[in-house]
Amino acid sequence: MASEPSPSRVAAEDTGTAQQPSAKTTERTYPIISRREIEALISEGRHIIIVDQYVLKVDPWVKYHPGGDKAIQHMIGRDATDEVNGLHSPEARAQMNRYRVGRIQGRWKNFLPPIQGGKFRARGEGGEEWEEESPEIRASEETGFGSSSIASQAASVDSESSRTPSPAPSPVFDGDATLESNQLRARTNGRSKSGVSRSDSFTSISSVEDEKASAKGVKDGPKDGMAHLDTLTRQEIRLDLDKYPPLDEKTQDTVIRKYRALNERIKAEGLYDCNYFAYAIEGFRYTLLFCGMLLFLRWGWYVPSAFCLGAFWHQLVFTAHDAGHMGITHHFHVDSVIGIIIADFVGGLSLGWWKRNHNVHHIITNSPEHDPDIEHLPFFAISHRFFTNLRSTYYDRVMEYDIFAKFFVSLQHYLYYIVMMFARLNLYRLSWEYLLKGQAPKHGPAWWHRHLELAGQVFFWYWFGYGIMYKSIDGNLNRFVFFMISHAVTSPLHVQITLSHFAMSTSDLGPHESFPQRMLRTTMDVDCPEWLDFFHGGLQFQAIHHLYPRIPRHNLRKTQRLVQEFCNDVGIPYALYGFVEGNKHVIGRLADVARQAAILKKCQQTIVDNSIGHSHAH
């Protein structure tokens, strides 16, 4: 019996990119490139990705890419078909054809990209192909105190990112029996088609287990204080391996094939078509809030005026997010201009910075070393891996777990909402850093976006900083109150952004996990009544959005049913919480990590005390 074709080959045929004879023209014929040749090219610093069975050498495009260079670097040596199709318009995908240099035969087995620590043999170099240790082996092996110690990780941090898996609770689900009747709830009972039991509880390590691990570590005399955390890491990787479909080729190919079939169904049902009437309603809401701000400001009612401005910014961000994903007109420049007007001119935030950051987040979601959306030291750590001075590949710097980080992390579950009240200030900093440090594309189709954004920043600080804060408000105290309230009111947005990921898995299951499975493993949705969708702005459907980023947000609720059917079909749990329940899990995750930090500190102090005792004895 003939073997089943790989998803990459099927995608090439379905999208019309496979080589087919034409009556009018003959499509260019590309040579077959071997895996060994591709490995050698990558070892020479080439940017090689696989899309629809074609080998693309995208070196000339890296500096032009509107989404930044980091997103491309995370796809080197991988089959990037799903990531490329999810994040790019059909026109952009067609333009990528110019970078084709060859084809592959059969199913492609992903390399680990160099930016993530992958190693590649040079041309002519012998030896076995380097391959990352499988998560199954990492979850089962006994880790010695010195093998993955904090000392050894710190020593290697300057050369490459640590590859030690992180302690990552698997998806959490509402256990309330009253919610089980909801058809869109996470499938938490019974067994999957593969026979793997699905847990219906929040799979984190309890404080009791933490204390037991700490006591055992102190008693046994750990050499580095990380031994018990290594144990937790292995336990949580095993939980992920039990909770989700196996990582073998056949299973992952099935997930990919059905994910792509669902995409075609979504297209057929018109869910990629934008609902412009919904944006008319949005525009009416924005106008009311902005006019309310001006009216209250004229009356000298600074507190309600500041509240209206904050609510205006909060709501406006959702449309900027849509534009950044080309989810409004689906035209790159039109949506980019809409997004820049909203983000830069009206909100003081850089759309270009957001794109560069957000594309990486969508590709390598919830990776402590690589995803900038969870790299928030010194204020937050959602994994014990941040205790090891990890190097951020996005920011290209070491995230120091210093005295300030130790202080804030120990209290992070208490400070979470307070910090969120002022998170917008950090976005100003990141926006200016992006625009002034030359991180924006200087060439290519987006070369002029930076100049428009700089004009937008000047305009924003003129109308807000000078026109509102200085000219329209009397007294420095009133100005301070207005500024703080207007920014604090935007805090629900930052809670909504972190809510979808902070409580989800941060474990690394390797390069062979499919794109849709990783997205569903690291992202959760928030359940809310339909009338409240305006408040969440589509961010309550983050799991669906991560699967299909270009679906307009007003169609995400309609897509939810289809995604749930897909999850049931392939055996991937669909994480769905109520807003309050989701917040509880986020706070619980932060508290767990704070507790682990306290245990680490206790172990390290015990080591110091013991070493002092030994020195006195001698």
Side-chain angles (χ1 to χ4, degrees):
M1 185 173 66
S3 60
E4 187 175 298
S6 70
S8 297
R9 182 173 299 173
V10 171
E13 294 170 354
D14 288 347
T15 58
T17 57
Q19 295 185 33
Q20 298 176 355
S22 171
K24 295 182 179 180
T25 60
T26 302
E27 187 174 346
R28 176 182 172 184
T29 300
Y30 294 92
I32 300 295
I33 301 182
S34 68
R35 181 177 180 84
R36 183 67 186 89
E37 174 65 17
I38 291 174
E39 181 183 10
L41 287 171
I42 296 174
S43 75
E44 296 168 358
R46 303 299 183 187
H47 294 71
I48 306 295
I49 64 175
I50 311 298
V51 178
D52 291 333
Q53 294 292 100
Y54 286 97
V55 180
L56 275 61
K57 186 162 74 72
V58 296
D59 298 71
W61 178 244
V62 172
K63 63 181 179 180
Y64 301 126
H65 186 221
D69 59 330
K70 300 291 185 181
I72 293 177
Q73 290 176 29
H74 282 291
M75 289 290 98
I76 292 176
R78 294 176 58 95
D79 185 338
T81 302
D82 292 320
E83 290 85 346
V84 166
N85 289 340
L87 292 166
H88 297 82
S89 67
E91 294 76 17
R93 296 198 298 272
Q95 292 179 9
M96 294 179 191
N97 294 346
R98 73 182 73 175
Y99 301 108
R100 291 176 177 176
V101 295
R103 295 180 294 124
I104 60 170
Q105 282 187 323
R107 185 189 193 277
W108 179 255
K109 184 178 181 181
N110 288 332
F111 286 115
L112 187 70
I115 194 174
Q116 298 178 23
K119 300 175 183 178
F120 298 83
R121 295 171 295 173
R123 197 181 308 276
E125 181 181 339
E128 296 282 331
E129 177 185 312
W130 181 87
E131 185 171 357
E132 185 192 32
E133 200 171 55
S134 71
E136 290 85 352
I137 294 176
R138 296 204 310 269
S140 61
E141 67 183 1
E142 289 299 324
T143 304
F145 289 131
S147 62
S148 65
S149 67
I150 189 171
S152 63
Q153 293 187 50
S156 65
V157 76
D158 289 332
S159 60
E160 63 184 27
S161 298
S162 168
R163 296 296 306 156
T164 305
S166 59
S170 302
V172 289
F173 306 95
D174 287 337
D176 191 342
T178 63
L179 300 177
E180 291 181 0
S181 61
N182 190 332
Q183 293 298 316
L184 295 178
R185 282 290 168 194
R187 194 172 38 80
T188 60
N189 297 313
R191 303 175 68 85
S192 71
K193 292 185 177 182
S194 61
V196 178
S197 178
R198 305 295 180 183
S199 170
D200 63 348
S201 61
F202 179 51
T203 52
S204 64
I205 306 302
S206 69
S207 59
V208 175
E209 290 169 314
D210 280 348
E211 293 298 335
K212 287 181 179 179
S214 175
K216 184 179 185 300
V218 173
K219 180 180 178 181
D220 294 345
K223 296 180 180 179
D224 56 31
M226 291 289 288
H228 74 285
L229 296 182
D230 290 336
T231 300
L232 300 185
T233 295
R234 294 194 299 275
Q235 290 176 351
E236 291 168 343
I237 289 178
R238 285 195 293 269
L239 286 170
D240 271 5
L241 293 174
D242 286 343
K243 189 176 290 293
Y244 291 91
L247 300 177
D248 62 272
E249 293 181 0
K250 181 179 179 181
T251 302
Q252 292 301 305
D253 283 353
T254 299
V255 171
I256 293 172
R257 188 177 66 258
K258 292 184 177 181
Y259 162 75
R260 294 174 181 174
L262 175 58
N263 186 50
E264 295 305 313
R265 183 179 174 186
I266 289 171
K267 289 180 183 177
E269 296 194 13
L271 295 177
Y272 277 103
D273 299 333
C274 184
N275 181 356
Y276 292 109
F277 179 73
Y279 279 109
I281 298 175
E282 300 278 353
F284 178 71
R285 185 185 304 118
Y286 302 157
T287 302
L288 282 181
L289 289 171
F290 193 76
C291 290
M293 181 271 294
L294 293 176
L295 180 62
F296 289 130
L297 187 65
R298 181 178 180 83
W299 290 345
W301 296 4
Y302 298 135
V303 170
S305 176
F307 183 89
C308 285
L309 180 58
F312 172 70
W313 282 336
H314 170 268
Q315 287 289 297
L316 210 57
V317 164
F318 302 140
T319 300
H321 179 264
D322 299 342
H325 279 293
M326 292 184 292
I328 301 178
T329 69
H330 303 302
H331 186 280
F332 173 67
H333 287 301
V334 174
D335 278 359
S336 293
V337 170
I338 292 173
I340 289 172
I341 291 173
I342 293 173
D344 291 87
F345 284 77
V346 182
L349 307 177
S350 167
L351 185 76
W353 159 78
W354 176 86
K355 283 186 178 182
R356 185 174 189 263
N357 176 289
H358 202 64
N359 282 350
V360 174
H361 165 67
H362 268 271
I363 288 172
I364 194 72
T365 308
N366 262 27
S367 171
E369 302 100 328
H370 311 300
D371 182 359
D373 274 16
I374 64 169
E375 295 177 344
H376 299 302
L377 279 181
F379 298 107
F380 300 124
I382 65 169
S383 165
H384 79 266
R385 298 184 63 189
F386 288 103
F387 303 162
T388 65
N389 295 329
L390 282 181
R391 184 177 188 82
S392 166
T393 60
Y394 179 82
Y395 294 110
D396 196 25
R397 61 175 173 79
V398 174
M399 296 177 287
E400 297 283 355
Y401 185 60
D402 54 21
I403 186 172
F404 298 103
K406 291 175 182 178
F407 171 76
F408 284 112
V409 168
S410 69
L411 301 173
Q412 61 182 1
H413 46 303
Y414 299 115
L415 298 176
Y416 174 67
Y417 295 108
I418 296 175
V419 173
M420 290 295 102
M421 292 174 68
F422 307 106
R424 190 179 184 88
L425 302 180
N426 186 50
L427 302 188
Y428 291 144
R429 178 186 69 84
L430 292 170
S431 295
W432 279 106
E433 185 177 88
Y434 169 83
L435 293 170
L436 297 181
K437 287 189 174 182
Q439 296 174 353
K442 300 180 181 63
H443 308 281
W447 69 267
W448 54 273
H449 290 184
R450 175 174 177 267
H451 302 287
L452 183 60
E453 288 201 82
L454 286 171
Q457 292 293 320
V458 173
F459 179 83
F460 170 79
W461 287 107
Y462 176 80
W463 78 259
F464 173 67
Y466 179 75
I468 300 293
M469 294 294 299
Y470 181 74
K471 293 289 291 182
S472 302
I473 300 176
D474 297 326
N476 289 332
L477 178 60
N478 287 332
R479 293 185 181 114
F480 175 79
V481 171
F482 185 94
F483 183 89
M484 297 304 288
I485 291 178
S486 63
H487 285 70
V489 169
T490 66
S491 62
L493 169 67
H494 306 290
V495 172
Q496 290 162 328
I497 292 172
T498 58
L499 181 63
S500 299
H501 300 290
F502 270 25
M504 298 299 286
S505 174
T506 58
S507 59
D508 176 11
L509 297 189
H512 308 308
E513 182 180 30
S514 63
F515 171 75
Q517 180 163 316
R518 182 184 181 101
M519 294 303 101
L520 290 166
R521 181 172 62 84
T522 57
T523 313
M524 73 170 176
D525 280 352
V526 177
D527 191 29
C528 73
E530 187 172 355
W531 65 268
L532 202 56
D533 282 353
F534 80 93
F535 177 76
H536 293 282
L539 297 183
Q540 76 273 36
F541 299 117
Q542 278 293 286
I544 303 169
H545 171 66
H546 269 253
L547 289 175
Y548 304 104
R550 292 185 303 107
I551 294 179
R553 64 179 158 105
H554 301 104
N555 294 338
L556 291 174
R557 181 173 288 278
K558 297 176 182 177
T559 311
Q560 188 179 43
R561 171 182 55 84
L562 303 180
V563 170
Q564 176 64 15
E565 292 175 1
F566 163 76
C567 290
N568 291 339
D569 188 20
V570 299
I572 297 179
Y574 173 53
L576 180 67
Y577 306 91
F579 184 72
V580 174
E581 194 68 21
N583 274 266
K584 289 180 180 178
H585 287 315
V586 169
I587 297 300
R589 164 62 72 87
L590 295 174
D592 283 344
V593 176
R595 191 159 42 244
Q596 291 170 3
I599 293 170
L600 175 62
K601 180 180 179 180
K602 182 177 179 181
C603 290
Q604 291 173 331
Q605 185 60 50
T606 301
I607 295 168
V608 172
D609 293 342
N610 288 343
S611 63
I612 294 175
H614 284 307
S615 63
H616 287 170
H618 288 292

